[in-house]
Coordinates of all heavy atoms in Angstrom, one line a residue:
M1 N 59.0 26.7 82.3 CA 58.1 26.4 81.2 C 59.0 26.6 80.0 O 59.8 27.6 79.9 CB 57.0 27.2 81.2 CG 56.1 27.0 80.0 SD 54.7 28.3 79.9 CE 55.0 29.0 78.3
S2 N 58.8 25.7 79.0 CA 59.4 25.9 77.7 C 58.5 25.4 76.6 O 57.8 24.4 76.8 CB 60.7 25.1 77.6 OG 61.3 25.3 76.3
C3 N 58.4 26.1 75.5 CA 57.6 25.7 74.4 C 58.2 24.6 73.6 O 57.5 24.0 72.8 CB 57.2 26.9 73.6 SG 58.6 27.6 72.6
G4 N 59.4 24.3 73.8 CA 60.1 23.3 73.1 C 60.8 23.8 71.8 O 61.6 23.1 71.2
N5 N 60.6 25.0 71.5 CA 61.2 25.7 70.3 C 62.5 26.5 70.8 O 62.6 26.9 71.9 CB 60.3 26.6 69.5 CG 59.1 25.9 69.0 OD1 59.3 24.7 68.5 ND2 58.0 26.5 69.0
H6 N 63.5 26.6 69.9 CA 64.7 27.3 70.2 C 64.3 28.9 70.0 O 63.8 29.2 69.0 CB 65.8 27.0 69.3 CG 67.0 27.8 69.6 ND1 67.8 27.7 70.6 CD2 67.5 28.9 68.8 CE1 68.7 28.7 70.5 NE2 68.6 29.3 69.4
H7 N 64.7 29.7 71.0 CA 64.6 31.1 70.9 C 65.9 31.7 71.3 O 66.6 31.0 72.2 CB 63.5 31.6 71.8 CG 62.2 31.1 71.5 ND1 61.4 31.6 70.5 CD2 61.4 30.1 72.2 CE1 60.3 30.9 70.5 NE2 60.2 30.0 71.5
E8 N 66.2 32.9 70.9 CA 67.4 33.5 71.2 C 67.5 33.7 72.8 O 68.5 33.6 73.4 CB 67.5 34.9 70.6 CG 68.9 35.5 70.7 CD 69.1 36.7 69.8 OE1 68.6 36.7 68.6 OE2 69.6 37.7 70.1
T9 N 66.3 34.1 73.4 CA 66.2 34.2 74.8 C 65.3 33.1 75.2 O 64.2 33.0 74.9 CB 65.5 35.6 75.2 OG1 66.4 36.6 74.6 CG2 65.6 35.8 76.7
P10 N 65.8 32.2 76.2 CA 64.9 31.0 76.6 C 63.7 31.4 77.2 O 63.6 32.5 78.0 CB 65.8 30.3 77.5 CG 67.2 30.8 77.2 CD 67.1 32.2 76.8
C11 N 62.6 30.5 77.1 CA 61.3 30.8 77.7 C 61.4 31.1 79.2 O 60.9 32.0 79.8 CB 60.4 29.6 77.5 SG 59.9 29.4 75.8
D12 N 62.2 30.3 80.0 CA 62.2 30.5 81.4 C 62.9 31.7 81.8 O 62.4 32.4 82.8 CB 63.0 29.2 82.1 CG 64.4 29.0 81.6 OD1 64.8 29.5 80.5 OD2 65.1 28.2 82.3
E13 N 63.8 32.2 81.0 CA 64.5 33.5 81.3 C 63.4 34.7 81.1 O 63.4 35.6 81.8 CB 65.7 33.7 80.4 CG 66.5 34.9 80.7 CD 67.7 35.0 79.8 OE1 68.4 34.0 79.6 OE2 68.0 36.2 79.4
V14 N 62.6 34.6 80.0 CA 61.7 35.6 79.8 C 60.6 35.6 80.8 O 60.2 36.7 81.3 CB 61.0 35.4 78.3 CG1 59.8 36.2 78.1 CG2 62.1 35.7 77.2
L15 N 60.1 34.4 81.2 CA 59.1 34.4 82.2 C 59.6 34.8 83.5 O 58.7 35.4 84.3 CB 58.5 33.0 82.3 CG 57.7 32.6 81.0 CD1 57.2 31.2 81.1 CD2 56.6 33.5 80.7
A16 N 60.8 34.6 83.8 CA 61.4 35.2 85.1 C 61.4 36.7 85.1 O 61.5 37.2 86.2 CB 62.8 34.6 85.3
R17 N 61.4 37.3 84.0 CA 61.4 38.8 83.9 C 60.1 39.5 83.6 O 60.1 40.6 83.3 CB 62.5 39.2 82.9 CG 63.9 38.8 83.2 CD 64.9 39.4 82.3 NE 64.9 38.8 80.9 CZ 65.6 39.3 80.0 NH1 66.4 40.3 80.1 NH2 65.6 38.8 78.8
V18 N 59.0 38.7 83.5 CA 57.8 39.2 83.1 C 57.3 40.4 84.0 O 56.9 41.4 83.5 CB 56.7 38.1 83.0 CG1 55.3 38.7 83.1 CG2 56.8 37.2 81.8
Y19 N 57.4 40.2 85.2 CA 56.9 41.3 86.2 C 57.8 42.6 86.1 O 57.4 43.7 86.1 CB 56.8 40.8 87.6 CG 55.5 40.2 87.8 CD1 55.3 38.8 88.0 CD2 54.3 40.9 87.9 CE1 54.1 38.2 88.1 CE2 53.0 40.4 88.1 CZ 52.9 38.9 88.2 OH 51.8 38.4 88.4
T20 N 59.1 42.3 85.9 CA 60.0 43.4 85.7 C 59.7 44.2 84.4 O 59.7 45.4 84.4 CB 61.5 42.9 85.7 OG1 61.7 42.1 86.8 CG2 62.5 44.0 85.8
Y21 N 59.4 43.4 83.4 CA 59.0 44.0 82.1 C 57.7 44.8 82.3 O 57.5 45.9 81.9 CB 58.8 42.9 81.1 CG 58.4 43.3 79.8 CD1 59.2 44.0 78.9 CD2 57.0 43.1 79.3 CE1 58.7 44.4 77.6 CE2 56.6 43.5 78.1 CZ 57.5 44.1 77.3 OH 57.0 44.6 76.0
L22 N 56.7 44.2 82.9 CA 55.4 44.9 83.2 C 55.6 46.1 83.9 O 54.8 47.0 83.7 CB 54.4 43.8 83.8 CG 53.8 42.8 83.0 CD1 53.1 41.7 83.9 CD2 52.9 43.3 82.0
D23 N 56.4 46.1 84.9 CA 56.7 47.3 85.8 C 57.5 48.3 85.1 O 57.8 49.4 85.6 CB 57.3 46.9 87.1 CG 56.4 46.0 88.0 OD1 55.3 46.1 87.7 OD2 56.9 45.4 88.8
G24 N 58.0 48.0 83.9 CA 58.8 49.0 83.1 C 60.2 49.2 83.7 O 60.8 50.3 83.6
E25 N 60.7 48.2 84.4 CA 62.0 48.3 85.1 C 63.1 47.6 84.4 O 64.2 47.5 84.8 CB 61.8 47.6 86.4 CG 60.9 48.4 87.4 CD 60.6 47.6 88.7 OE1 61.1 46.5 89.0 OE2 59.9 48.2 89.5
L26 N 62.9 47.1 83.1 CA 64.0 46.5 82.3 C 64.6 47.6 81.4 O 63.9 48.6 81.1 CB 63.4 45.5 81.4 CG 63.1 44.1 82.0 CD1 62.5 43.3 80.9 CD2 64.3 43.5 82.6
D27 N 65.9 47.5 81.1 CA 66.5 48.4 80.3 C 66.1 48.1 78.8 O 65.4 47.2 78.6 CB 68.0 48.3 80.4 CG 68.6 47.0 80.0 OD1 67.9 46.2 79.3 OD2 69.8 46.7 80.4
Q28 N 66.4 49.0 77.9 CA 66.0 48.9 76.5 C 66.3 47.6 75.9 O 65.5 47.0 75.2 CB 66.6 50.0 75.6 CG 65.9 51.3 75.9 CD 64.5 51.4 75.4 OE1 63.6 51.0 76.2 NE2 64.2 51.7 74.2
G29 N 67.5 47.1 76.2 CA 67.9 45.8 75.7 C 67.1 44.7 76.2 O 66.6 43.7 75.4
G30 N 66.8 44.6 77.5 CA 66.0 43.6 78.1 C 64.5 43.6 77.6 O 64.0 42.6 77.3
C31 N 64.0 44.9 77.4 CA 62.7 45.0 76.9 C 62.6 44.4 75.4 O 61.6 43.8 75.1 CB 62.2 46.5 76.9 SG 61.8 47.1 78.5
G32 N 63.6 44.8 74.7 CA 63.6 44.3 73.3 C 63.6 42.7 73.2 O 63.0 42.1 72.4
E33 N 64.4 42.1 74.1 CA 64.6 40.7 74.2 C 63.2 40.1 74.6 O 62.8 39.1 73.9 CB 65.6 40.2 75.2 CG 67.0 40.5 74.7 CD 68.0 40.2 75.8 OE1 67.6 39.8 77.0 OE2 69.2 40.3 75.6
V34 N 62.6 40.6 75.6 CA 61.3 40.0 76.0 C 60.2 40.3 74.9 O 59.5 39.3 74.6 CB 60.8 40.8 77.3 CG1 59.4 40.4 77.7 CG2 61.7 40.4 78.5
R35 N 60.1 41.5 74.3 CA 59.2 41.7 73.2 C 59.4 40.8 72.1 O 58.4 40.2 71.5 CB 59.2 43.2 72.7 CG 58.3 44.1 73.4 CD 58.2 45.4 72.8 NE 58.9 46.3 73.7 CZ 60.1 47.0 73.5 NH1 60.6 47.0 72.3 NH2 60.6 47.8 74.4
Q36 N 60.6 40.6 71.7 CA 60.9 39.7 70.5 C 60.4 38.3 70.9 O 59.9 37.6 70.0 CB 62.4 39.7 70.2 CG 62.8 38.8 69.0 CD 64.3 38.7 68.8 OE1 65.0 39.6 69.2 NE2 64.6 37.9 67.9
H37 N 60.8 37.9 72.1 CA 60.4 36.4 72.4 C 58.9 36.3 72.5 O 58.3 35.3 72.0 CB 61.0 36.2 73.8 CG 60.7 34.7 74.2 ND1 61.6 33.7 74.0 CD2 59.6 34.1 74.8 CE1 61.1 32.5 74.5 NE2 59.9 32.7 74.9
L38 N 58.2 37.3 73.0 CA 56.7 37.2 73.1 C 56.1 37.2 71.7 O 55.1 36.6 71.4 CB 56.2 38.4 74.0 CG 56.5 38.3 75.4 CD1 56.0 39.6 76.2 CD2 56.0 37.0 76.1
D39 N 56.7 37.9 70.8 CA 56.2 37.9 69.4 C 56.4 36.5 68.8 O 55.6 36.2 67.9 CB 57.0 39.0 68.5 CG 56.6 40.4 68.9 OD1 55.6 40.6 69.5 OD2 57.4 41.3 68.5
E40 N 57.4 35.7 69.2 CA 57.7 34.5 68.6 C 57.0 33.3 69.2 O 56.9 32.2 68.7 CB 59.2 34.2 68.5 CG 60.0 35.2 67.8 CD 61.5 35.0 68.1 OE1 61.9 34.3 69.0 OE2 62.3 35.7 67.4
C41 N 56.7 33.5 70.5 CA 56.3 32.3 71.4 C 54.9 32.4 71.9 O 54.7 33.2 72.9 CB 57.3 32.2 72.5 SG 57.1 30.8 73.5
G42 N 54.0 31.7 71.4 CA 52.6 31.7 71.8 C 52.4 31.4 73.3 O 51.6 32.1 74.0
P43 N 53.0 30.3 73.8 CA 52.8 29.9 75.2 C 53.3 31.1 76.2 O 52.6 31.3 77.2 CB 53.7 28.6 75.3 CG 53.7 28.0 74.0 CD 53.7 29.2 73.0
C44 N 54.4 31.6 75.9 CA 54.9 32.7 76.8 C 54.1 33.9 76.6 O 53.8 34.7 77.6 CB 56.3 33.0 76.4 SG 57.5 31.8 77.0
L45 N 53.5 34.2 75.4 CA 52.6 35.3 75.3 C 51.3 35.2 76.1 O 50.8 36.1 76.7 CB 52.3 35.6 73.8 CG 51.3 36.7 73.5 CD1 52.0 38.1 73.9 CD2 51.0 36.8 71.9
R46 N 50.8 33.9 76.1 CA 49.6 33.7 76.9 C 49.9 33.8 78.4 O 49.2 34.4 79.1 CB 49.1 32.3 76.7 CG 48.3 32.1 75.4 CD 47.6 30.8 75.2 NE 48.6 29.7 75.0 CZ 49.2 29.4 73.9 NH1 48.9 30.1 72.8 NH2 49.9 28.4 73.8
E47 N 51.1 33.3 78.9 CA 51.5 33.4 80.3 C 51.7 34.9 80.6 O 51.2 35.3 81.6 CB 52.8 32.7 80.5 CG 53.3 32.7 81.9 CD 52.5 31.8 82.9 OE1 51.7 31.0 82.3 OE2 52.5 32.0 84.0
Y48 N 52.2 35.6 79.7 CA 52.4 37.1 79.9 C 51.1 37.8 80.1 O 50.8 38.6 81.0 CB 53.1 37.7 78.7 CG 53.0 39.3 78.6 CD1 53.9 40.1 79.4 CD2 52.2 39.9 77.8 CE1 53.8 41.4 79.3 CE2 52.1 41.2 77.7 CZ 52.9 42.0 78.5 OH 52.8 43.4 78.5
G49 N 50.1 37.4 79.2 CA 48.8 38.0 79.3 C 48.1 37.6 80.7 O 47.5 38.5 81.2
L50 N 48.3 36.4 81.2 CA 47.8 36.1 82.5 C 48.4 36.9 83.6 O 47.8 37.4 84.4 CB 48.1 34.6 82.7 CG 47.6 34.0 84.1 CD1 46.1 34.2 84.2 CD2 48.1 32.6 84.3
E51 N 49.8 37.1 83.5 CA 50.5 37.8 84.5 C 50.0 39.3 84.4 O 49.8 39.9 85.5 CB 52.0 37.7 84.4 CG 52.5 36.2 84.5 CD 52.3 35.7 85.8 OE1 52.0 36.3 86.8 OE2 52.3 34.4 85.9
E52 N 49.8 39.8 83.3 CA 49.4 41.2 83.1 C 48.0 41.4 83.7 O 47.7 42.4 84.5 CB 49.4 41.6 81.6 CG 49.0 43.0 81.4 CD 49.0 43.3 79.9 OE1 48.6 42.4 79.1 OE2 49.4 44.4 79.6
A53 N 47.1 40.4 83.5 CA 45.7 40.4 84.1 C 45.8 40.4 85.6 O 45.0 41.2 86.3 CB 44.9 39.3 83.5
V54 N 46.6 39.5 86.1 CA 46.7 39.4 87.6 C 47.3 40.8 88.2 O 46.7 41.3 89.2 CB 47.7 38.3 88.0 CG1 48.1 38.4 89.5 CG2 47.1 37.0 87.7
K55 N 48.3 41.3 87.5 CA 48.8 42.6 88.0 C 47.8 43.7 88.0 O 47.7 44.5 88.9 CB 50.0 43.0 87.1 CG 50.7 44.2 87.6 CD 52.0 44.5 86.8 CE 52.7 45.8 87.2 NZ 52.9 46.0 88.6
K56 N 47.0 43.7 87.0 CA 45.9 44.7 86.8 C 44.9 44.6 87.9 O 44.5 45.5 88.5 CB 45.4 44.8 85.5 CG 46.2 45.3 84.4 CD 45.5 45.3 83.0 CE 46.3 46.0 82.0 NZ 45.7 45.8 80.7
L57 N 44.5 43.3 88.2 CA 43.5 43.0 89.2 C 44.1 43.4 90.6 O 43.3 44.0 91.4 CB 43.1 41.5 89.2 CG 42.1 41.1 90.2 CD1 40.8 41.8 90.0 CD2 42.0 39.6 90.1
V58 N 45.3 43.0 90.9 CA 45.9 43.4 92.2 C 46.0 44.9 92.3 O 45.6 45.4 93.3 CB 47.3 42.8 92.4 CG1 48.0 43.3 93.5 CG2 47.1 41.2 92.5
N59 N 46.4 45.6 91.3 CA 46.5 47.1 91.3 C 45.1 47.7 91.5 O 45.0 48.6 92.3 CB 47.1 47.5 90.0 CG 47.4 48.9 90.0 OD1 47.9 49.5 91.1 ND2 47.3 49.7 88.9
K60 N 44.1 47.2 90.8 CA 42.8 47.6 91.0 C 42.3 47.5 92.5 O 41.6 48.3 93.0 CB 41.8 46.9 90.0 CG 40.4 47.4 90.1 CD 39.5 46.6 89.1 CE 38.0 47.1 89.2 NZ 37.2 46.3 88.4
S61 N 42.6 46.3 93.0 CA 42.1 46.0 94.4 C 42.9 46.6 95.4 O 42.5 47.0 96.6 CB 42.2 44.5 94.6 OG 41.3 43.9 93.7
C62 N 44.2 46.8 95.2 CA 45.1 47.2 96.3 C 46.0 48.4 95.9 O 47.0 48.7 96.5 CB 46.0 46.1 96.7 SG 45.2 44.6 97.1
G63 N 45.6 49.1 94.7 CA 46.5 50.1 94.1 C 46.9 51.3 95.0 O 47.9 51.9 94.9
C64 N 46.0 51.6 95.9 CA 46.2 52.7 96.7 C 47.0 52.5 98.0 O 47.5 53.4 98.6 CB 44.9 53.5 97.1 SG 43.8 52.4 98.0
E65 N 47.2 51.2 98.3 CA 47.9 50.9 99.5 C 49.4 50.4 99.2 O 49.5 49.6 98.3 CB 47.2 49.8 100.3 CG 45.8 50.1 100.8 CD 45.2 49.0 101.4 OE1 45.8 48.2 102.1 OE2 43.9 48.9 101.4
Q66 N 50.3 50.9 99.9 CA 51.7 50.4 99.8 C 52.0 49.3 100.7 O 51.6 49.3 101.9 CB 52.7 51.6 100.1 CG 52.9 52.6 99.0 CD 53.8 51.9 97.9 OE1 53.7 50.8 97.5 NE2 54.8 52.7 97.6
A67 N 52.6 48.3 100.3 CA 53.0 47.1 101.1 C 54.2 47.7 102.1 O 55.0 48.5 101.7 CB 53.5 46.0 100.3
P68 N 54.1 47.2 103.3 CA 55.2 47.6 104.2 C 56.5 47.1 103.7 O 56.6 46.0 103.0 CB 54.8 46.8 105.5 CG 53.4 46.5 105.4 CD 53.1 46.3 104.0
T69 N 57.5 47.9 103.9 CA 58.9 47.7 103.4 C 59.4 46.3 103.8 O 59.9 45.6 102.9 CB 59.8 48.7 103.8 OG1 59.3 50.1 103.5 CG2 61.3 48.5 103.2
D70 N 59.3 45.9 105.1 CA 59.7 44.6 105.5 C 59.0 43.4 104.8 O 59.6 42.4 104.4 CB 59.7 44.4 107.0 CG 58.3 44.5 107.5 OD1 57.5 45.3 107.0 OD2 58.0 43.9 108.6
L71 N 57.7 43.6 104.6 CA 56.9 42.5 103.9 C 57.3 42.5 102.4 O 57.6 41.3 101.9 CB 55.4 42.9 103.9 CG 54.5 41.9 103.1 CD1 54.6 40.5 103.6 CD2 53.1 42.4 103.1
R72 N 57.5 43.6 101.8 CA 58.0 43.6 100.4 C 59.4 42.9 100.3 O 59.6 42.0 99.4 CB 58.1 45.0 99.9 CG 58.6 45.1 98.5 CD 58.5 46.6 98.0 NE 59.3 46.8 96.7 CZ 58.8 46.5 95.6 NH1 57.6 45.9 95.4 NH2 59.5 46.7 94.5
A73 N 60.3 43.2 101.2 CA 61.6 42.5 101.2 C 61.5 41.1 101.4 O 62.2 40.3 100.7 CB 62.5 43.2 102.3
K74 N 60.7 40.6 102.3 CA 60.5 39.2 102.5 C 59.9 38.5 101.3 O 60.4 37.4 100.9 CB 59.5 38.9 103.7 CG 60.2 39.2 105.1 CD 59.1 39.1 106.2 CE 59.8 39.4 107.5 NZ 58.8 39.3 108.6
V75 N 58.9 39.1 100.7 CA 58.3 38.4 99.5 C 59.3 38.4 98.4 O 59.4 37.3 97.8 CB 57.0 39.3 99.0 CG1 56.6 38.7 97.8 CG2 56.0 39.1 100.1
L76 N 60.0 39.5 98.1 CA 61.1 39.4 97.1 C 62.2 38.5 97.3 O 62.6 37.8 96.4 CB 61.6 40.8 96.8 CG 60.6 41.9 96.3 CD1 61.2 43.2 96.2 CD2 60.2 41.5 94.9
G77 N 62.5 38.4 98.6 CA 63.6 37.4 99.0 C 63.1 36.0 98.7 O 63.9 35.1 98.2
R78 N 61.9 35.7 99.1 CA 61.4 34.4 98.9 C 61.2 34.0 97.4 O 61.5 32.9 97.0 CB 59.9 34.2 99.6 CG 59.4 32.8 99.5 CD 60.3 31.8 100.2 NE 59.6 30.5 100.1 CZ 60.3 29.4 99.7 NH1 61.6 29.4 99.6 NH2 59.7 28.3 99.6
I79 N 60.8 35.0 96.6 CA 60.8 34.8 95.1 C 62.2 34.5 94.6 O 62.3 33.6 93.8 CB 60.1 36.0 94.5 CG1 58.6 36.1 94.8 CG2 60.4 36.0 93.0 CD1 58.0 37.5 94.3
E80 N 63.1 35.2 95.1 CA 64.5 34.9 94.6 C 64.9 33.5 95.0 O 65.6 32.8 94.2 CB 65.5 36.0 95.1 CG 65.3 37.3 94.5 CD 66.2 38.4 95.1 OE1 67.2 38.0 95.9 OE2 66.0 39.5 94.7
E81 N 64.6 33.0 96.2 CA 64.9 31.8 96.7 C 64.3 30.7 95.8 O 64.9 29.8 95.4 CB 64.5 31.5 98.1 CG 65.2 32.1 99.2 CD 64.5 32.0 100.6 OE1 63.9 30.8 100.8 OE2 64.7 32.8 101.4
I82 N 63.0 30.8 95.5 CA 62.3 29.9 94.6 C 62.9 29.9 93.3 O 63.1 28.8 92.7 CB 60.7 30.2 94.7 CG1 60.2 29.9 96.0 CG2 60.0 29.5 93.6 CD1 58.8 30.4 96.2
C83 N 63.2 31.1 92.7 CA 63.8 31.0 91.4 C 65.2 30.3 91.4 O 65.5 29.6 90.4 CB 64.0 32.5 90.9 SG 62.5 33.4 90.4
G84 N 65.9 30.5 92.4 CA 67.2 29.7 92.6 C 67.0 28.3 92.7 O 67.7 27.5 92.1
E85 N 66.0 27.8 93.4 CA 65.7 26.4 93.6 C 65.2 25.8 92.3 O 65.7 24.7 91.9 CB 64.5 26.2 94.6 CG 65.0 26.5 96.0 CD 63.8 26.5 97.0 OE1 62.7 26.2 96.6 OE2 64.1 26.9 98.1
I86 N 64.4 26.6 91.5 CA 64.0 26.1 90.2 C 65.2 26.0 89.2 O 65.3 25.0 88.5 CB 62.9 27.0 89.6 CG1 61.6 26.9 90.4 CG2 62.7 26.8 88.1 CD1 60.6 28.0 90.1
K87 N 66.1 27.0 89.2 CA 67.3 27.0 88.4 C 68.1 25.7 88.8 O 68.6 25.0 87.9 CB 68.0 28.2 88.5 CG 67.7 29.2 87.5 CD 68.7 30.3 87.5 CE 68.4 31.3 86.3 NZ 69.2 32.5 86.4
A88 N 68.4 25.5 90.0 CA 69.2 24.4 90.5 C 68.6 23.1 90.1 O 69.2 22.2 89.7 CB 69.4 24.5 92.0
S89 N 67.2 23.0 90.3 CA 66.5 21.8 89.9 C 66.7 21.5 88.4 O 66.9 20.4 88.0 CB 65.1 21.9 90.2 OG 64.3 20.8 89.8
G90 N 66.5 22.5 87.6 CA 66.6 22.4 86.1 C 68.1 22.0 85.8 O 68.3 21.1 84.9
S91 N 69.1 22.5 86.5 CA 70.5 22.2 86.2 C 70.8 20.7 86.5 O 71.5 20.0 85.8 CB 71.4 23.1 86.9 OG 71.3 24.5 86.5
A92 N 70.2 20.4 87.6 CA 70.4 18.9 88.1 C 69.7 17.9 87.2 O 70.3 16.9 86.8 CB 69.8 18.7 89.5
E93 N 68.5 18.3 86.7 CA 67.9 17.4 85.7 C 68.7 17.3 84.4 O 68.8 16.2 83.8 CB 66.4 18.0 85.4 CG 65.5 17.8 86.6 CD 64.1 18.4 86.3 OE1 63.9 18.9 85.2 OE2 63.3 18.5 87.2
K94 N 69.2 18.4 84.0 CA 70.0 18.4 82.7 C 71.3 17.6 82.9 O 71.7 16.8 82.1 CB 70.4 19.9 82.3 CG 69.3 20.6 81.7 CD 69.7 22.0 81.4 CE 68.5 22.9 80.9 NZ 68.8 24.3 80.6
T95 N 71.9 17.6 84.1 CA 73.2 16.9 84.3 C 72.8 15.4 84.4 O 73.5 14.6 83.9 CB 73.7 17.4 85.8 OG1 74.0 18.7 85.7 CG2 75.0 16.6 86.0
E96 N 71.6 15.0 85.0 CA 71.3 13.6 85.2 C 71.0 13.0 83.8 O 71.3 11.9 83.5 CB 70.1 13.5 86.0 CG 70.4 13.7 87.6 CD 69.1 13.8 88.4 OE1 68.1 13.4 87.9 OE2 69.3 14.0 89.6
S97 N 70.4 13.8 83.0 CA 69.9 13.3 81.6 C 71.1 13.2 80.6 O 71.1 12.5 79.6 CB 68.8 14.1 81.0 OG 69.3 15.4 80.7
A98 N 72.3 13.9 81.0 CA 73.4 13.8 80.0 C 74.3 12.7 80.2 O 74.3 11.6 80.4 CB 74.3 15.1 80.2

């Protein structure tokens, strides 16, 4: 997703780090970049709000249960695969349009 406006940190990069940001797992520099982008970009701020609400709902429903380690690893691995596919697709589209 992109709002079409130029930002120091691109929309897709910020949205890829939303859960890491919500979990407090970004370093100070990363947090600052995400905060600054969200202050400037309404569409990303709305997406952030949606992700935050989903995280809270899941935490409320399943907060006391830990996911099995192997399940967590599989889910995170699949997320990384999908992010890689999206990046590759975006790169291919940019190359074709050039």
